């Protein structure tokens, strides 16, 4: 195989792995309590009681702390951090074909959280979570954290808690290099556009489709496969993810400019306030050190080739 058809087949096989492999990494130890142990049932209080009545600056999180609370103690007693991640997003969370290991910017961040709480970056159970299952996985207690290029916004902070922002991106259009689509505008009229269900892209297309018909799929990589197979004309996704997809397939490119500004955060159950504060403490250390900070080292390792010009991580914002 060669060209777009070969690339599409390879990506399709990768996407299939995500569907078949629900658990990746270290298995849960016998007798270990699941992330959703009864000590923190999300349904115990209505979401409206656990979130602000108004939403101004959703990126503002809880101030960092290293004090152990119920959530952190739960993780320590289990001896493993359970993290929901992607394994199909090149550069962010993907299975390295050379090693078979999960790799990427988000994976490095998860390992930093595990090291801070458990003293060992390898004490992680990775669960491959589709885009549209990120919030349910936290609400049902299947995972402790989600680190999966998840945008912080007003709707989501009523459902889950977020760390401070660890990356900033925006929605953008991905299309074949030969496509007449040039931006998120009327060049999409009459075209078929793909985006992930439960994503910010889906929300934007509900507000304004520019005359395009919309296909939603469980994962962003499913959109790339459909684009490669000619089943859709363009993809709406985060610019950061799209840059990785363009690096995978040289026949596609980002067009136009990002039409939103979005901040990625680590998501957690609303009741796990002590874990939110602990993750924010990890992020404080992760940002510290200027050009030699763990954040900048991870950026240069995973993202700089496709997302150039970033000189520092986003500044943290706190609400307390």
């Amino acid at each position: 195989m060669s060209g777009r058809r070969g690339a599409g087949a390879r990506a399709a096989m990768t996407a299939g792995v995500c569907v078949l492999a629900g658990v990746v990494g270290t298995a849960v130890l016998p007798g270990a309590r699941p992330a959703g142990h009864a000590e923190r049932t999300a349904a115990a209080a209505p979401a409206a009681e656990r979130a602000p009545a108004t939403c101004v600056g959703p990126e503002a999180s809880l101030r960092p702390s290293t004090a152990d609370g119920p959530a952190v103690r739960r993780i320590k007693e289990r001896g493993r951090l359970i993290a929901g991640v992607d394994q199909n997003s090149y550069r962010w969370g993907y299975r390295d074909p050379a090693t078979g290991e999960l790799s990427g910017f988000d994976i490095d961040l998860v390992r930093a959280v595990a090291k801070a709480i458990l003293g060992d970056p390898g004490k992680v159970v990775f669960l491959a979570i589709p885009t549209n299952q990120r919030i349910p996985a936290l609400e049902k207690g299947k995972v402790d954290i989600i680190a999966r290029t998840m945008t912080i916004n007003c709707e989501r902070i009523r459902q889950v808690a977020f760390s401070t922002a660890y990356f900033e991106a925006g929605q953008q259009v991905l299309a074949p290099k030969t496509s007449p689509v040039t931006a998120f505008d009327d060049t999409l009229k009459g075209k078929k556009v793909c985006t992930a269900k439960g994503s910010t892209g889906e929300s934007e297309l509900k507000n304004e489709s520019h005359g395009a018909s919309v296909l939603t799929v469980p994962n962003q990589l499913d959109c790339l496969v459909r684009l490669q197979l000619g089943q859709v004309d363009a993809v709406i996704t985060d610019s950061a993810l799209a840059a990785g997809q363009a690096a995978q397939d040289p026949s596609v490119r980002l067009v136009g400019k990002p039409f939103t500004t979005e901040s990625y955060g680590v998501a957690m159950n609303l009741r796990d306030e002590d874990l939110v504060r602990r993750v924010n403490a990890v992020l404080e250390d992760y940002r510290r050190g200027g050009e030699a900070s763990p954040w900048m080292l991870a950026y240069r390792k995973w993202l700089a080739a496709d997302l150039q010009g970033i000189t520092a991580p986003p500044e943290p914002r706190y609400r307390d």
Side-chain angles (χ1 to χ4, degrees):
M1 290 185 208
S2 61
R4 292 182 61 195
R5 180 177 298 178
R10 288 192 296 273
M13 289 188 288
T14 304
V17 172
C18 188
V19 173
L20 296 174
V23 181
V24 290
T26 308
V28 180
L29 297 177
R33 289 184 293 182
H37 187 62
E39 66 191 48
R40 63 131 204 205
T41 302
E49 296 178 12
R50 305 193 304 270
T54 58
C55 179
V56 179
E59 297 85 6
S61 184
L62 300 174
R63 288 196 175 275
S65 171
T66 57
D68 288 3
V72 174
R73 287 196 296 269
R74 180 187 70 238
I75 294 166
K76 288 185 173 181
E77 289 170 7
R78 187 196 304 127
R80 293 288 187 275
L81 174 72
I82 302 178
V85 298
D86 197 351
Q87 64 171 1
N88 293 320
S89 291
Y90 189 51
R91 305 290 194 191
W92 290 93
Y94 73 104
R95 191 169 291 282
D96 189 328
T99 64
E101 298 292 326
L102 283 174
S103 303
F105 192 89
D106 283 342
I107 305 302
D108 281 1
L109 179 54
V110 169
R111 295 190 188 282
V113 173
K115 183 178 181 180
I117 295 176
L118 297 165
D120 184 343
K123 289 187 175 180
V124 183
V125 176
F126 290 105
L127 300 185
I129 305 293
T131 304
N132 64 345
Q133 292 300 309
R134 293 177 298 189
I135 290 174
L138 286 166
E139 291 179 328
K140 295 175 182 177
K142 291 183 177 179
V143 295
D144 297 308
I145 65 173
I146 294 281
R148 196 186 181 286
T149 57
M150 190 169 178
T151 299
I152 308 167
N153 60 33
C154 289
E155 179 181 359
R156 288 174 179 165
I157 65 169
R158 296 185 179 280
Q159 301 169 288
V160 297
F162 282 97
S163 70
T164 55
Y166 68 86
F167 201 85
E168 290 182 348
Q171 293 294 302
Q172 199 165 352
V173 180
L174 184 73
K177 290 181 176 178
T178 56
S179 173
V181 175
T182 57
F184 188 68
D185 58 17
D186 290 343
T187 60
L188 290 170
K189 187 175 182 179
K191 305 298 183 184
K192 193 166 188 177
V193 175
C194 184
T195 195
K197 187 172 181 60
S199 68
T200 310
E202 182 186 24
S203 299
E204 292 295 326
L205 285 163
K206 285 180 179 178
N207 292 333
E208 176 56 79
S209 68
H210 291 290
S213 61
V214 180
L215 170 70
T216 59
V217 295
N219 285 294
Q220 294 289 0
L221 188 65
D222 298 334
C223 283
L224 178 61
V225 173
R226 283 160 174 75
L227 186 66
Q228 291 167 329
L229 295 175
Q231 296 174 359
V232 298
D233 301 295
V235 173
I236 306 297
T237 187
D238 295 4
S239 55
L241 293 176
Q245 292 174 359
Q248 285 178 286
D249 183 353
S251 71
V252 302
R253 63 175 180 172
L254 287 161
V255 297
K257 295 181 179 180
F259 54 91
T260 64
T261 300
E262 300 172 26
S263 299
Y264 296 161
V266 179
M268 287 152 278
N269 188 284
L270 279 170
R271 299 178 70 85
D272 288 351
E273 291 190 2
D274 63 303
L275 182 56
V276 176
R277 294 184 187 277
R278 176 60 68 89
V279 171
N280 282 338
V282 174
L283 287 171
E284 285 283 329
D285 290 338
Y286 212 63
R287 298 183 187 99
R288 190 173 292 121
E291 285 295 314
S293 69
W295 193 97
M296 287 301 300
L297 294 175
Y299 164 71
R300 287 195 293 270
K301 179 180 179 180
W302 298 113
L303 307 176
D306 305 312
L307 288 169
Q308 299 179 7
I310 297 175
T311 58
E315 289 290 328
R317 297 175 59 189
Y318 301 109
R319 65 173 186 265
D320 63 348

